[in-house]
C-alpha cells in the first residue's frame, strides 16, 4: 500500500483485520461525483473521463457492465491492468495506460494526491481535464454511470429507479455483507472462527437468493437494476475462484437451479457477457501468493469456458 505517497511494502491482500481475525476492506477515499451540469465540480463531457479496471475484480466489473448497459463506451475510455498482482500491486502492460503512462496503479493515486495513504485499488474514475481521481468507489461510479452522464448515455435504461431505491439499497446491503464481500472474508480469514462465520453467511445468502429467484427473471422481477449487476459479478466468479481458492465450497452456483439459470440469463446480455474474462479471473485470483504459494492455476472446473472480449 501507499503511505504518504510512497509505496511502502510488498503487496499483501490483508492489511487490516478485526478482533476475530476477519478481513476488513478499506473505505474508498475519493468520492466526487460527475453530474450533467457539473454542479459538484465534475461535468459530464464526452472523452473527459477514463476508467481504470481489472477484469478479475468484481467491483471494477460492476462499472464495466454499467458503462456498456448505458451505452457509454464512446464517452468514457478504459484501461485494463494485468490480471496478476505483483509486489507493487496492479501493473499495466506496455502501452495499456495511454493517459498517464503509468507502470503501476499506485502511480495513478500519487498523481492525484502526492500524499495518499491507502491501497491502490481499482476501479478508479480519472478526470483527464484536472488530472485527478474523481472517485474510486464502484458503487458510486455505478450510480454515476446510470444518471450522471445524462443525455451522453446511449440509452435510457434506469438501473436505480425511484420507486425501488429503498428496496435496492436494502438488498444491496445484505448481499454485499454476506456474499460480495463475504466471499473475501471467507478467503482472507486468518482464523477458523472468522472463516466459518463468513462461510455460513455466504451460503445463507445464496439459499435466500435461490428462493427469491424462483420468480424472476431478475432480483426485482421484470426490471433489471444495479442490484443484478452487483450480484452477477460475484456469481460469475464463484465456481471459478471462490469455491476453490476462497474455500467457499459447500456448493457451486451450478448446483443451484434458479441461481444458475439467472446467471445464464444475464450472460445472454452483451453488457454482462462481454465484460467477463474467465482467464483473467482465474489467473488473477490464483496469483495471490498468500493463498496459493505455487501460483498454479487450476484447469477446472469444466463448463465455464467463458471468454468475453474484456471490455
Ligand atoms: N470499495 C472498493 C473496493 C475495490 C477493491 O477492493 N478492489 C480490489 C480488487 S478486487 C483491489 O484493487 N485491490 C488491490 C489492493 O487492495 O491493494 C470498490 O468497491 O470500488
Amino acid at each position: 500500500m501507499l503511505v504518504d505517497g510512497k509505496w511502502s511494502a510488498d503487496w499483501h491482500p490483508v492489511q487490516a483485520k478485526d478482533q476475530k481475525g476477519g478481513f476488513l476492506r478499506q473505505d474508498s477515499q475519493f468520492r466526487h461525483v460527475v453530474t450533467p451540469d457539473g454542479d459538484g465540480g465534475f461535468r459530464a463531457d464526452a472523452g473527459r473521463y477514463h476508467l481504470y479496471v481489472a477484469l478479475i475484480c468484481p467491483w471494477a466489473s460492476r462499472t464495466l457492465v454499467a458503462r456498456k448497459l448505458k451505452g457509454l463506451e464512446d464517452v468514457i475510455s478504459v484501461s485494463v491492468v494485468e490480471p496478476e498482482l505483483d509486489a507493487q500491486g496492479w501493473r499495466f502492460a506496455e502501452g495499456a495506460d495511454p493517459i498517464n503512462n503509468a507502470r503501476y496503479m499506485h502511480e495513478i493515486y500519487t498523481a492525484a494526491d502526492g500524499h495518499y495513504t491507502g491501497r491502490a485499488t481499482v476501479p478508479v474514475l480519472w478526470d483527464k481535464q484536472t488530472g485527478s481521481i474523481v472517485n474510486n468507489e464502484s458503487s458510486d461510479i455505478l450510480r454515476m454511470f446510470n444518471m450522471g452522464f445524462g443525455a451522453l448515455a446511449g440509452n435510457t435504461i434506469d438501473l436505480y429507479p425511484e420507486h425501488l431505491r429503498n428496496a435496492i439499497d436494502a438488498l444491496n446491503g445484505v448481499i454485499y455483507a454476506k456474499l460480495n464481500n463475504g466471499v473475501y472474508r471467507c478467503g482472507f480469514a486468518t482464523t477458523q472462527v472468522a472463516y466459518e462465520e463468513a462461510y455460513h453467511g455466504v451460503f445463507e445468502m445464496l439459499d435466500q437468493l435461490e428462493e427469491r429467484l424462483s420468480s424472476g427473471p431478475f432480483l426485482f422481477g421484470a426490471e433489471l437494476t444495479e442490484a443484478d449487476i452487483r450480484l452477477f459479478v460475484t456469481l460469475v466468479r464463484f465456481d471459478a475462484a471462490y469455491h476453490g481458492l476462497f474455500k467457499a465450497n459447500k456448493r457451486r452456483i451450478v448446483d443451484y437451479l434458479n441461481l444458475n439459470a439467472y446467471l445464464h440469463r444475464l450472460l445472454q446480455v452483451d453488457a454482462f457477457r462481454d465484460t467477463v474474462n474467465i482467464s483473467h479471473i482465474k489467473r488473477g485470483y490464483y496469483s495471490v501468493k498468500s493463498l496459493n504459494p505455487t501460483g498454479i492455476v487450476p484447469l477446472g472446473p469444466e463448463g465455464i469456458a467463458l471468454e468475453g472480449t474484456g471490455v
Side-chain angles (χ1 to χ4, degrees), residues 11 25 28 57-59 90 119-123 136-138 184:
W11 184 86
R25 188 175 295 282
S28 305
C57 174
W59 324 108
W90 299 117
R119 304 180 71 97
T121 57
V122 287
N136 70 334
E137 170 52 45
S138 61
Y184 282 85

Side-chain angles (χ1 to χ4, degrees), residues 21 26 48 52 56 71 87 114 122-123 127 134 138 144 149 190 197 202 208 216 236 255 277 303:
Q26 80 168 16
R48 176 169 169 179
Y52 287 101
I56 98 153
V122 287
D127 178 19
V134 180
S138 61
M144 254 180 265
F149 283 78
T190 54
E197 198 176 294
V202 165
Q208 281 173 33
V236 82
D255 302 322
N277 187 318

Side-chain angles (χ1 to χ4, degrees), residues 251-269:
R251 274 186 219 105
R252 301 161 304 167
I253 301 306
V254 291
D255 302 322
Y256 290 92
L257 190 68
N258 299 328
L259 279 169
N260 194 41
Y262 168 78
L263 177 59
H264 283 86
R265 193 172 307 129
L266 292 176
L267 282 167
Q268 288 179 8
V269 181

Side-chain angles (χ1 to χ4, degrees), residues 209-219 231 258-259 262:
L209 290 167
E210 172 71 4
E211 180 83 31
R212 182 180 183 116
L213 287 164
S214 59
S215 59
F218 305 120
L219 287 171
L231 175 56
N258 299 328
L259 279 169
Y262 168 78

Side-chain angles (χ1 to χ4, degrees), residues 280-303:
H280 269 237
I281 290 170
K282 281 170 66 167
R283 284 162 56 203
Y285 279 105
Y286 280 93
S287 74
V288 176
K289 286 265 182 308
S290 57
L291 299 182
N292 186 34
T294 62
I296 292 171
V297 181
L299 293 175
E302 291 190 346

